[in-house]
């Protein structure tokens, strides 16, 4: 965050953190992925700028005390020992500039108190700040890595084939400081057909992950016990009332594949899915009976209603979270036009599992190109097909 063949992740590394996410984690943990020269560059540049300013100003102006900014700059990027080494170079530059400006008498208060004492004192203080920064960065990296690992363990990567369905998933955690969010998904083969849940918990952080755990746990139980999707949603709603703080909610999209040729959909405030035909036509499957998100069901009476939608063996169902459709363009800031882009990118996904993996990879690559390479929120893409039973590599035929 964000994982199978189609997105470039090797088999057996389900849930692995993408390279960009690992790089960002290292940057957060004290810039340890950068070389010493690159981390020291700001402080060395400060030494050079002060030296140049003093030299160009002539001997009648003594600008060497400005070298006191060097320890402060070094404290932002360097470790304590590295800071002391760079600050020693700054001290040598200070002495050289003092000689150039003919301020060489150690009895001269301008030199002793205005430059040397200040520089040494700020260097010592900056070394302490650098040590504190390192400890805080290490603690942040440890906590956030554990939290992200917990989230990835919670979101169990489904197999590429579940029941009669082929699946391809692309999930990436947000790139901001929260590191983890509340996107969730699950695919289960139950006595009542293969059932899919895609959801988005309000907020981010550990609280969102805890809510996601409640929702997924309830779904994994209710999906096997309840015959109708509204009853499954009701079980999850009841679990959230018991275990989730008031006011928290989760948008959800349920899909149930029981009979060939159709899919039952239940919308609970979530992004509607797309149905992509083999000719590239994409249709947004708007809900006939939209309902409130999970956690807010007590505000209205009754139960939501599922609707049956035609879904053939050459169709691809595209499920996602709002991190996809609300991803802003790098140039104009416009939202990602999923309904316009998805059709040509995923229309061949029905042909085989390899084609479906390639389709989700193309769609995700297009999303990244739209945003300029970074996502500001969690993003989940789940592509589903149900090939005809007599297809060469269809799950039913293989089984």
């Amino acid at each position: 965050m964000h994982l199978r063949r189609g997105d470039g992740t090797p088999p057996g590394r389900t849930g692995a953190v993408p390279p960009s996410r690992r790089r960002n984690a290292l940057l957060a943990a004290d810039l340890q992925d950068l070389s010493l020269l690159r981390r020291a560059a700001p402080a060395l540049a400060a030494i050079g700028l002060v030296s140049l300013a003093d030299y160009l100003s002539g001997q009648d102006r003594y600008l060497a005390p400005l070298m006191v900014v060097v320890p402060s700059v070094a404290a932002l990027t360097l470790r304590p020992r590295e800071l002391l080494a760079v600050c020693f170079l700054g001290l040598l530059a200070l002495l050289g500039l003092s000689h150039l400006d003919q301020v060489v008498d150690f009895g001269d208060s301008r030199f002793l108190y205005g430059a040397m004492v200040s520089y040494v004192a700020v260097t010592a203080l900056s070394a302490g700040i650098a040590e504190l920064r390192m400890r805080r960065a290490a603690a942040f990296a440890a906590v956030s890595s554990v939290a992200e690992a917990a989230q990835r363990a919670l979101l169990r990567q489904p197999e590429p084939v579940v029941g009669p369905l082929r699946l391809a998933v692309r999930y990436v955690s947000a790139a901001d400081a929260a590191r983890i969010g509340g996107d969730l998904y699950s695919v289960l083969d139950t006595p009542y057909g293969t059932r899919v849940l895609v959801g988005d918990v309000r907020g981010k952080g550990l609280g969102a992950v805890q809510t996601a755990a409640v929702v997924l746990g309830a779904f994994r139980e209710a999906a096997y016990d309840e015959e109708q999707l509204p009853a499954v949603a009701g079980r999850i709603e009841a679990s959230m009332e018991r275990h989730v703080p008031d006011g928290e909610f989760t948008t959800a999209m349920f899909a149930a594949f029981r009979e060939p040729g159709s899919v039952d959909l239940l919308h609970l405030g979530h992004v509607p899915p797309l149905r992509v035909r083999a000719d590239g036509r994409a249709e947004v499957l708007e809900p006939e009976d939209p309902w409130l998100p999970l956690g807010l069901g007590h505000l209205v009476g009754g139960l939501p209603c599922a609707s049956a939608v035609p879904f053939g063996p050459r169709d691809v169902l595209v499920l996602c979270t709002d991190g996809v459709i609300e991803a802003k363009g790098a140039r104009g800031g416009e939202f990602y036009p999923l309904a316009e882009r998805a059709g040509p990118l995923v229309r061949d996904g029905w042909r085989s599992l390899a084609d479906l993996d390639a389709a989700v990879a193309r769609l995700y690559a297009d999303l990244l190109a739209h945003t300029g390479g970074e996502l500001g929120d969690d993003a989940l893409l789940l592509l589903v097909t149900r090939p005809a039973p007599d297809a060469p590599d269809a799950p039913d035929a293989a089984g």
Side-chain angles (χ1 to χ4, degrees):
M1 115 126 130
H2 90 36
L3 310 174
R4 289 187 175 270
R5 292 158 292 217
D7 59 13
T9 301
R13 294 195 54 189
T14 297
V17 181
S20 61
R21 301 285 294 129
R22 292 197 299 268
R23 182 173 64 253
N24 290 339
L26 289 171
L27 286 171
D30 200 34
L31 306 174
Q32 293 182 20
D33 64 333
L34 299 180
S35 66
L36 173 59
L37 181 60
R38 293 183 65 182
R39 287 185 286 110
L44 295 176
I47 294 174
L49 289 174
V50 172
S51 300
L52 181 62
D54 185 90
Y55 176 78
L56 294 178
S57 65
Q59 294 183 345
D60 58 335
R61 288 181 175 84
Y62 183 46
L63 302 181
L66 292 176
M67 202 66 70
V68 76
V69 304
V70 173
S72 301
V73 174
L76 299 175
T77 58
L78 296 176
R79 304 183 182 99
R81 291 184 181 180
E82 297 167 349
L83 180 145
L84 294 176
V86 171
C87 288
F88 180 72
L89 295 178
L91 179 61
L92 295 179
L94 174 60
L95 292 173
L97 293 174
S98 300
H99 179 77
L100 177 66
D101 295 331
Q102 298 181 355
V103 184
V104 294
D105 184 2
F106 277 85
D108 190 331
S109 60
R110 292 182 302 160
F111 180 87
L112 180 61
Y113 295 106
M116 294 291 293
V117 172
S118 297
Y119 188 85
V120 172
V122 174
T123 297
L125 179 61
S126 298
I129 293 175
E131 177 66 24
L132 179 61
R133 188 203 77 237
M134 286 182 58
R135 292 183 179 181
R136 288 183 179 274
F140 171 79
V143 171
S144 58
S145 296
V146 169
E148 189 167 3
Q151 183 191 36
R152 293 179 180 278
L154 178 68
L155 298 178
R156 304 169 190 168
Q157 174 76 15
E159 294 296 324
V161 174
V162 178
L165 305 182
R166 297 177 184 146
L167 308 169
V169 181
R170 188 60 161 135
Y171 171 72
V172 180
S173 297
D176 61 10
R179 296 291 304 281
I180 55 176
D183 284 9
L184 57 91
Y185 63 98
S186 183
V187 183
L188 302 174
D189 191 23
T190 75
Y192 308 108
T194 304
R195 290 175 166 177
V196 179
L197 166 63
V198 172
D200 189 358
V201 178
R202 173 183 174 273
K204 297 179 181 177
L206 288 176
V209 174
Q210 292 169 355
T211 301
V214 172
V215 173
L216 288 173
F219 173 71
R220 288 164 181 161
E221 290 295 325
Y224 288 95
D225 297 337
E226 304 293 343
E227 183 176 359
Q228 302 298 324
L229 284 181
V232 174
R235 288 272 296 272
I236 300 174
E237 184 82 32
S239 184
M240 290 186 66
E241 289 182 6
R242 290 191 294 266
H243 303 295
V244 175
D246 291 340
E248 297 298 326
F249 61 86
T250 301
T251 66
M253 181 73 230
F254 294 88
F257 298 82
R258 304 183 67 173
E259 301 295 332
S262 70
V263 56
D264 295 332
L265 299 178
L266 181 63
H267 300 250
L268 300 182
H270 195 71
V271 179
L274 295 178
R275 179 179 56 203
V276 177
R277 304 290 193 180
D279 59 3
R281 289 182 296 121
E283 179 185 358
V284 180
L285 302 178
E286 296 286 355
E288 296 180 1
D289 183 24
W291 204 255
L292 294 177
L294 295 168
L296 302 180
H298 62 280
L299 299 177
V300 295
L303 290 174
C305 296
S307 57
V309 176
F311 187 68
R314 294 192 174 187
D315 295 339
V316 179
L317 189 67
V318 181
L319 298 160
C320 69
T321 56
D322 59 7
V324 175
I325 63 170
E326 294 179 2
K328 293 184 178 181
R331 295 182 179 179
E334 67 283 359
F335 290 145
Y336 180 68
L338 178 64
E340 300 176 10
R341 301 282 188 90
L345 295 172
V346 308
R347 64 183 181 183
D348 294 329
W350 61 272
R351 297 180 181 276
S352 68
L353 184 58
D355 288 315
L356 191 63
D357 288 335
V360 76
R362 287 193 299 269
L363 187 57
Y364 179 69
D366 188 66
L367 175 64
L368 286 184
H370 174 79
T371 62
E374 286 289 349
L375 297 175
D377 197 0
D378 287 14
L380 169 65
L381 286 167
L382 174 60
L383 271 57
V384 182
T385 63
R386 181 173 184 168
D390 56 351
D393 61 345
D396 291 343

